[in-house]
Structure formats: structure tokens, C-alpha cells
Amino acid sequence: MFQLKEHGTDVRTEITAGMTTFLTMAYIVIVNPVILGAAGVPFDQVFLATIIASVIGTLWMALLANYPIAIAPGMGLNAYFTSMVLASGGAIDYTTAFAAVFVSGLLFVALSLTSMRKILIEAIPENLKHAITAGIGLFIAFIGMRLSGFIVANEANLVGLGDLTSPPVALTLAGLAITLIFMSLNIHGGIFFGMIATGIIAFFTGQLSFKEGFMKLPSLPEGIIVWNPIEAFLLVAEFGLYGVVFSFLLVTLFDTTGTMIGVAKQAGLMKDNKMPRVRQALLADSVAASAGAMVGTSPTSAYVESSAGVAAGGRTGLTTLTVAILFIAAAFFGPLVGSLSGVAAITAPALIIVGSLMIGAVKEIDWDQFDEAFPAFLIVLAMPLTSSIATGIALGFISYPLMKIFKGKWKSVHPILYIFAVLFTIQILIAPH
């Protein structure tokens, strides 16, 4: 079924690769409930929704696309989801926000089935794509520092350094140091093992307890949150969440496509510089995003951590089938994950390190061309400072064609980008934020 011989692999190698991939990305099961929990989503709901979305996307990738690429809720968009709910001052609840995720997932499904996906990807300048990735990296690293108390509110300058001697901050620094050591030693699953090590320290210092035990049957206390596409579209229209939907869609599209191509190249699965079965691969993510929104999690994405499994020899869907099975097993350890995610210092180092990995995209930006560099700079700067991925994208997409016009290069800008610029201008000036 998985064509192991044709791909030069075997069952043992594929299972080992799947375990490696799972360990490198298992942190999302702990981190995601922390981030979405700030928006009021119940822990049990997010925990199981995270696993459901991951299993659906990863199984689709395994059984229909036959790629060693795992799917799970993406870092950055979960933080954006929460910041959007909190910044609304009660105007938008998490149900409405999930409606926006649901709509973006449905649109992603439609794009994955048509040639519009290719047109949209080609229309957006490479420098802006790299800036979006880097901006999200800064955004989630900032959130990690804020959650742990490393950065606190400051009347003089909005933010300032927290009390480094306080137990939570000291634990964060210790966890960060341990995780960085694991990463420096190229240990697969370094982030996950770093969280476990930090949890052990937290337990012996009295900051972590397991009052509810370690295992219980998984549950969805809120049931299915969003299911009707018409109601979801009406909620998006009522609250003017067009920019939010577009941001979810755009980031997921670029992140997923870029990650899939990168991992496929690493695994030697590209043919004539093209990715076979790309439609099924993209559908794995878009279907998972829609299903995840229905039960209560932020948009999914292809995980770059899949490259760890590829490095361990993974070449087929048997690798991702293994990942999906391990996610299912993790569903029965809700109390354990709940205890770990209840201590911000355990999850904060993961946010900071993932952010540092994402900021690396700035090296791909053409800083020598000012009309390319400044819009990218705006995106990177605005995302963490406004706590909004949508605002960062909007400022970049407005300034880019504007600078090209006055530079006399207006013909080099794709017509779709001009449309985006107009829509984002309307969104910023008129529509509610």
C-alpha cells in the first residue's frame, strides 16, 4: 500500500521515523490548549480538538497522499486567534472566531481543488511570504516571554523586563537553557524533551502537581462548535472578519505549501521539480483545518518537524500513519497534559525557540532593494507590536504596490496584489478590528 520497496525503505524504518516526527511535534498538544485557553476555550475541548485535527490531516496525508508529512494546528495562528478574541473587548467570542477559521478552511479546500491555489501563490512576492513567516516567529516568541513573566507591562515603555528571580521566570530560563542544550546536540524531539525536563524541575520545586491523575477518557465538553457553513459565513460578514479569514487562509496556504515542498525535496520525492499528488497533500491540511474548527482548534498546517522523521529514514505514508496512531494514544493522557500546560514556564521555552526558528526566514528577504525590503519590514514589525497577523499582512500588502507605483515598477506587481491592497485599506479604515 505504501510502496515501501519503491521508496527504498522498510516497516521498521518508517515506524521509527514516525516516532521521531511525533516526538518533535508533540509539544503542540501541550502548547495549543495554553494559547487557546486564554481566549476562553475549555482545556478538554482544545486538547481533544487538537488531536482530532492532527489525526484527520495526518491520516489523510498517510492514506491518500502517501507522504511522510504530519499535520497539526500551526503555531502563530493559534496565538493570533487568541489575540483577536481578547482584543475585541468581548465583541467577538471564540465561537465567532472558529467560524472564521471554518470559512478559511472551506475556502482552502476550494483552492486546493482548483488552479487558483497556484495563481494565488505566484501572485504574492517571495519577500512578503518570508516576512510573514518571520513576523509570526517574533509574535509567538513575544507571547512566550509574556506568558512566563519574562516580559511584563511597563508604564514608561509599554513593556519591560520582569522579575528574573521569581520562580516562574527562573523556571522558564532553566527550561530554555535545557531545551537549547538539547537543540544544540541535535537531539530529535529536543523541544518536547525540554518540556518534560522543565516539568520535572517544576514538580520538585512545587510549581507542578498532578491532582487529577494522568489518564482519563477524552471528551468534547462543548461538542461540535461550528458546523453550518451558511451561519459561519454570516458571522464573518456580521463582524467584518474578512481580513481575519484572508490572513488565516494566506498564512496556511504559504506555510503548508512551502513546508510540503521543502520536506518532499529533503526526502527525494520531487519529480521534475514538481510534487506528485500535491492536490491530495493540500487537501489533507484544508480538510483538517475545517474539521478542527468544527470541534475547537485553530488552523492546521504541515509541520516542518516532519523533516526530523525524514532524516530518520521516513519516505512514505507509513511514517505519518505512525504519527496519527501516537496522537490517538495521547488523547487518553488529558490530565497529564493539563497539568503540564497549566505551568506557563513549561510551554514558554517552546514558544520562544519555535519563534527563533521561524525568524530565520528574514535571511531570504532582499534587503538591498528598498521597495522590496520596507514592506517586508512592516510585516515583521507590525505583527508582534499590534498582536495581529492580519494587520501586519495588511500593512505589507498596501505598502508594496504603492512603493512599486512610485518606483515606476507598477507593471511588475500582479493585478491580484492591487485588489488585495484596496481590500486591506478598506478593512483597516472602515471595517471593525
Side-chain angles (χ1 to χ4, degrees), residues 40-66:
V41 192
F43 169 82
D44 285 345
Q45 187 78 25
V46 184
F47 172 69
L48 190 55
T50 299
I51 291 174
I52 289 173
S54 303
V55 170
I56 289 175
T58 304
L59 278 180
W60 188 296
M61 188 71 75
L63 304 178
L64 298 177
N66 196 25

Side-chain angles (χ1 to χ4, degrees), residues 122-123 125 371-372 400-418:
E122 292 176 350
D371 53 337
E372 293 281 340
Y400 186 89
L402 195 62
M403 293 187 71
K404 291 295 184 182
I405 290 173
F406 287 101
K407 193 79 173 178
K409 300 179 181 178
W410 62 273
K411 289 184 179 180
S412 66
V413 180
H414 197 286
I416 289 180
L417 210 62
Y418 287 113

Side-chain angles (χ1 to χ4, degrees), residues 35-382:
I35 295 178
L36 296 189
V41 192
F43 169 82
D44 285 345
Q45 187 78 25
V46 184
F47 172 69
L48 190 55
T50 299
I51 291 174
I52 289 173
S54 303
V55 170
I56 289 175
T58 304
L59 278 180
W60 188 296
M61 188 71 75
L63 304 178
L64 298 177
N66 196 25
Y67 278 117
I69 304 171
I71 303 290
M75 292 294 293
L77 288 180
N78 49 7
Y80 173 46
F81 177 98
T82 296
S83 66
M84 177 183 64
V85 173
L86 296 179
S88 70
I92 298 174
D93 58 14
Y94 63 78
T95 301
T96 303
F98 281 130
V101 178
F102 186 50
V103 169
S104 70
L106 294 177
L107 292 176
F108 193 12
V109 170
L111 286 175
S112 300
L113 292 171
T114 66
S115 59
M116 272 301 295
R117 172 191 59 83
K118 182 179 179 182
I119 295 173
L120 189 59
I121 290 175
E122 292 176 350
I124 310 303
E126 290 297 318
N127 288 310
L128 297 191
K129 295 176 188 176
H130 297 314
I132 290 171
T133 300
I136 292 174
L138 281 182
F139 183 26
I140 62 176
F142 176 78
I143 288 174
M145 290 185 169
R146 181 175 57 80
L147 286 176
S148 65
F150 188 86
I151 288 177
V152 296
N154 183 289
E155 292 183 5
N157 196 35
L158 294 181
V159 293
L161 186 65
D163 181 6
L164 301 185
T165 62
S166 67
V169 179
L171 180 60
T172 299
L173 294 176
L176 184 60
I178 292 170
T179 308
L180 289 174
I181 291 172
F182 288 154
M183 298 289 286
S184 299
L185 295 174
N186 294 320
I187 295 175
H188 293 312
I191 293 178
F192 178 75
F193 290 130
M195 295 174 72
I196 298 302
T198 309
I200 293 173
I201 297 173
F203 178 76
F204 285 108
T205 57
Q207 299 181 59
L208 173 65
S209 61
F210 301 99
K211 296 179 180 178
E212 297 185 11
F214 297 92
M215 296 180 66
K216 75 172 183 179
L217 291 175
S219 65
L220 283 173
E222 300 284 319
I224 296 177
I225 296 175
V226 182
W227 64 272
N228 189 327
I230 296 176
E231 289 184 3
F233 275 98
L234 289 176
L235 280 173
V236 168
E238 179 183 350
F239 291 93
L241 300 178
Y242 308 109
V244 173
V245 170
F246 182 70
S247 297
F248 281 143
L249 178 63
L250 203 63
V251 174
T252 305
L253 184 65
F254 293 154
D255 190 32
T256 294
T257 305
T259 299
M260 285 182 182
I261 291 174
V263 176
K265 282 183 178 179
Q266 180 191 0
L269 301 174
M270 300 289 284
K271 294 182 179 179
D272 299 324
N273 207 31
K274 292 183 180 180
M275 187 175 176
R277 306 178 303 281
V278 67
R279 178 169 293 180
Q280 291 293 354
L282 284 169
L283 279 172
D285 189 29
S286 54
V287 170
S290 302
M294 292 175 68
V295 291
T297 189
S298 48
T300 56
S301 177
Y303 260 58
V304 72
E305 285 85 350
S306 302
S307 60
V310 169
R315 293 294 181 271
T316 74
L318 184 54
T319 293
T320 35
L321 176 60
T322 304
V323 174
I325 292 172
L326 290 172
F327 267 117
I328 293 173
F332 295 91
F333 290 88
L336 172 62
V337 173
S339 297
L340 293 173
S341 62
V343 181
I346 295 176
T347 55
L351 293 172
I352 296 168
I353 290 174
V354 172
S356 74
L357 297 174
M358 295 179 72
I359 191 65
V362 296
K363 71 178 184 294
E364 306 294 339
I365 297 173
D366 185 2
W367 295 107
D368 294 328
Q369 299 292 327
F370 190 67
D371 53 337
E372 293 281 340
F374 187 76
F377 169 74
L378 270 184
I379 292 175
V380 175
L381 182 69

